[in-house]
Amino acid sequence: MSDCNDLSQQLIDFIHQSPTPFHATGELARRLLDAGFERLALGENWNLQPYGRYFLTRNDSSLVAFTCADAAFTHRGFRMVGAHTDSPCLRVKPNPELSQKGYFQLGVEVYGGALLNPWFDRDLSLAGRVSYRSTEGTLRSALLDLRDPVAVIPSLAIHLNREVNEKQSINPQTQLPPILALCAEDEAPDFRAQLKRWLTPEHGDIDQVLDYELSFYDTQAPAKIGLNREFIASARLDNLLSCFAGLSALIANSDKADQKAPCLLVCNDHEEVGSQSSSGAQGPLLATVLERILGEREALTICMENSLMISADNAHGIHPNFADRHDSKHGPLLNAGPVIKLNSNQRYATNSETSALFRHLCEQAQVPCQSFVVRSDMACGSTIGPITAAEIGVRTLDIGVPTFGMHSIRELAGSEDVTYLQRALNQFMQLPVLPFS
């Protein structure tokens, strides 16, 4: 239990430092540097060494980290884990200033498939990346995280909407702009000027803020809850929990000089909106990195035949109040181990070989595991798993930690499942040879 509590607290600290994909990628990079990994740049030549440890980022929001084996590792393949850094949220529009009935508000756009109701009546802050022109005339970018609550989206009182508990439809254009301050209707503040004031204490050379990618987030800190603290409640568990578990397993296996196969972690941005971007799973990032590591197409093809990707993304735990939304034979429980996700229509990339291997690894690691198949009369979501399998031709398995309230502003997972997932991934990365013919 002490190991479980320690890992849960590390996850909480990681999520608290990661309100946006930019901050999550920065925190992943910081921890890799602390563990002795060397930073690479995509735009520079690489000089990879046997048993070296490296990482790189793209767009400040996606990351690939890997370890090298000896010169013959092409035939051993990679042990790869994939996750994503983004989560559904509310993004600030380019011309966001609204002044209505004496209140200053910001127009927002819904990013991803967000569960909108929980965003009301929360203490919200702002974070993300801001691009500006310096006083020297150069273009620069900086990360911003206000930390303090600066906005709220108040609910409409039930007295003015008597049917709210029977039906609730949310118009994201008119009902989601957060309130930041009081102001006269003809005096809406200049948001870019406000950003300059927020950034100046740390970046004093700002001439003009030119653009930004900013998201609102809930300031309530992640917490262990329940009578026995068996749950973790937090924003962005989907999918920072998997990023954290993959990072922990990679670092734990990175300093073994006798490792039999190289390991790789890829944390992509834009999964929640389809992954089609330069830093998403449907973009060229991972394929480009692998080609540069291996040097030629034939070596890449051989390596992928001897590799396995575990796509780690949260799964739907069976909700006691909505149990009928699950197939009765496939209802994952919290704190009962990672979930193998299956779909015959390839919304998940799992097949019988990859699922059998994962069950075997879980047995070796003394980790319980479960299965999830969506009800046959419901649509199934997807992950980076099928996309990555199609892009680089690697055997792929989809798994995830069971979760309640997925895509809510505050999700719930089991604290023991964090340890279970990390142990399973650790066992996977120690696998010297894949048992596939």
Side-chain angles (χ1 to χ4, degrees):
M1 183 61 71
S2 60
D3 290 343
C4 172
N5 289 336
D6 181 60
L7 204 61
S8 296
Q9 188 57 53
Q10 291 179 43
L11 170 64
I12 285 172
D13 294 341
F14 173 71
I15 294 177
H16 189 61
Q17 297 297 325
S18 306
T20 73
F22 304 112
H23 292 84
T25 300
E27 185 64 14
L28 289 167
R30 185 189 68 79
R31 294 178 182 225
L32 287 165
L33 287 170
D34 288 347
F37 281 68
E38 179 183 343
R39 186 165 199 150
L40 302 173
L42 282 167
E44 298 176 1
N45 293 325
W46 296 355
N47 182 24
L48 305 181
Q49 300 296 318
Y51 304 109
R53 298 177 290 177
Y54 306 96
F55 77 94
L56 56 99
T57 64
R58 170 167 278 176
N59 188 45
D60 301 325
S61 63
S62 291
L63 176 142
V64 180
F66 60 93
T67 62
C68 293
D70 58 26
F73 72 83
T74 298
H75 292 273
R76 299 194 182 114
F78 276 94
R79 308 297 169 260
M80 297 189 285
V81 174
H84 64 88
T85 58
D86 60 322
S87 303
C89 62
L90 302 183
R91 295 271 176 94
V92 181
K93 292 183 175 180
N95 301 310
E97 296 90 346
L98 300 172
S99 181
Q100 303 180 102
K101 304 302 179 184
Y103 297 96
F104 171 50
Q105 299 172 269
L106 292 180
V108 293
E109 184 178 14
V110 179
Y111 176 88
L115 193 61
L116 296 179
N117 278 300
W119 279 83
F120 289 86
D121 306 317
R122 295 278 183 166
D123 299 343
L124 303 177
S125 191
L126 265 177
R129 182 173 66 179
V130 180
S131 297
Y132 63 92
R133 182 173 57 240
S134 73
T135 53
E136 298 174 349
T138 58
L139 297 182
R140 299 177 182 174
S141 293
L143 295 189
L144 174 71
D145 183 6
L146 297 182
R147 293 282 180 177
D148 293 330
V150 297
V152 66
I153 308 171
S155 294
L156 181 64
I158 194 171
H159 313 79
L160 305 177
N161 186 7
R162 293 290 184 179
E163 296 181 342
V164 66
N165 290 327
E166 284 72 44
K167 55 184 179 180
Q168 171 75 333
S169 178
I170 298 172
N171 185 313
Q173 174 69 21
T174 62
Q175 297 176 353
L176 287 184
I179 295 173
L180 279 77
L182 293 167
C183 74
E185 290 194 28
D186 58 348
E187 296 178 358
D190 183 335
F191 183 58
R192 282 176 169 78
Q194 180 62 58
L195 287 175
K196 180 179 178 180
R197 287 191 287 272
W198 281 331
L199 286 168
T200 295
E202 186 174 352
H203 308 275
D205 61 342
I206 300 173
D207 174 46
Q208 182 180 358
V209 170
L210 299 174
D211 228 322
Y212 52 80
E213 295 168 81
L214 295 171
S215 304
F216 284 101
Y217 71 93
D218 185 8
T219 59
Q220 184 177 4
K224 287 182 281 188
I225 68 170
L227 292 178
N228 300 304
R229 300 296 185 264
E230 60 261 71
F231 306 119
I232 297 175
S234 175
R236 303 179 299 283
L237 287 174
D238 175 20
N239 189 28
L240 293 186
L241 189 156
S242 299
C243 292
F244 170 79
L247 177 75
S248 299
L250 179 67
I251 290 176
N253 288 279
S254 67
D255 59 353
K256 298 179 180 179
D258 61 344
Q259 68 182 36
K260 302 300 183 183
C263 300
L264 182 146
L265 171 69
V266 56
C267 297
N268 289 113
D269 195 4
H270 301 139
E271 189 274 345
E272 298 293 359
V273 293
S275 295
Q276 193 170 12
S277 72
S278 64
S279 52
Q282 201 168 350
L285 176 59
L286 181 55
T288 298
V289 171
L290 290 170
E291 287 171 0
R292 293 187 67 172
I293 294 171
L294 296 162
E296 58 180 0
R297 187 67 191 182
E298 184 176 9
L300 175 60
T301 301
I302 295 171
C303 185
M304 289 303 96
E305 282 298 306
N306 295 304
S307 300
L308 179 66
M309 161 69 78
I310 292 183
S311 166
D313 201 348
N314 296 34
H316 297 291
I318 186 167
H319 196 305
N321 300 341
F322 302 92
D324 62 335
R325 302 302 175 94
H326 278 261
D327 183 293
S328 61
K329 294 289 188 177
H330 302 92
L333 300 172
L334 272 62
N335 283 324
V339 179
I340 299 172
K341 301 158 72 172
L342 303 105
N343 181 261
S344 61
N345 295 304
Q346 291 298 296
R347 300 295 289 171
Y348 302 131
T350 307
N351 63 31
S352 59
E353 284 189 330
T354 58
S355 63
L357 174 58
F358 188 73
R359 292 182 190 279
H360 174 66
L361 292 172
C362 285
E363 287 182 4
Q364 290 183 318
Q366 298 183 319
V367 168
C369 70
Q370 310 176 76
S371 297
F372 172 77
V373 179
V374 74
R375 282 179 58 109
S376 299
D377 55 359
M378 295 177 67
C380 182
S382 192
T383 70
I384 67 169
I387 297 172
T388 303
E391 289 291 327
I392 63 174
V394 65
R395 288 184 182 88
T396 303
L397 166 77
D398 271 296
I399 66 165
V401 163
T403 308
F404 290 156
M406 194 182 296
H407 290 196
S408 173
I409 198 171
R410 197 163 180 86
E411 301 164 324
L412 191 74
S415 55
E416 291 183 45
D417 283 331
V418 183
T419 301
Y420 286 147
L421 178 59
Q422 194 272 342
R423 281 166 50 188
L425 296 180
N426 187 61
Q427 190 74 26
F428 165 63
M429 288 187 175
Q430 293 177 12
L431 193 65
V433 178
L434 295 177
F436 304 128
S437 58

